[in-house]
Amino acid sequence: MATTQDLIDFELDILNRALNGVLDLAEVEEAEPDSVRYHEMLVWNSKMSRLKLDLDPAYRTGRMTPEQQQRYRALLVRFTDALPIIERLGFAKPHVSLEP
């Protein structure tokens, strides 16, 4: 059975991969059909919900290990750096504070 810590690690991995996907999409945006972009936007919105409902509360209430806290802070930096791309693509911005 997965522990809370295992689930947090899983969520961190998912969000990092989702951000990688958005950055990849930005590189080939015009070459992708609208259906691919729409699908990616739906997936992104789902991931932003996970960030707001699962990961951020776990971080803010101290339910992460020190390593997970470090990974989460690194993820927040990545989101901050990617905001111009996220906005250009018209994707939802993270609905959490990007300040650790």
Side-chain angles (χ1 to χ4, degrees):
M1 185 167 164
T3 66
T4 299
Q5 301 311 313
D6 292 336
L7 294 174
I8 290 171
D9 283 331
F10 181 69
E11 295 285 345
L12 285 165
D13 291 341
I14 285 174
L15 280 163
N16 272 295
R17 282 194 305 270
L19 186 51
N20 290 342
V22 167
L23 297 175
D24 290 344
L25 178 64
E27 291 179 12
V28 296
E29 173 186 9
E30 292 181 21
E32 293 293 340
D34 287 343
S35 60
V36 170
R37 182 185 163 96
Y38 181 70
H39 171 75
E40 290 298 323
M41 189 177 287
L42 291 176
V43 170
W44 180 256
N45 288 342
S46 170
K47 303 312 178 220
M48 291 301 95
S49 292
R50 290 175 109 134
L51 175 66
K52 182 179 180 181
L53 299 175
D54 298 331
L55 275 182
D56 197 64
Y59 175 76
R60 307 278 174 202
T61 60
R63 289 183 281 138
M64 289 184 177
T65 66
E67 179 187 344
Q68 289 169 335
Q69 291 171 356
Q70 182 179 4
R71 288 180 64 200
Y72 186 73
R73 286 190 295 270
L75 180 64
L76 294 179
V77 168
R78 289 189 71 210
F79 277 126
T80 300
D81 293 345
L83 274 178
I85 294 168
I86 292 166
E87 290 173 346
R88 180 172 56 83
L89 291 173
F91 282 27
K93 291 187 252 178
H95 294 286
V96 299
S97 172
L98 297 178
E99 295 294 321

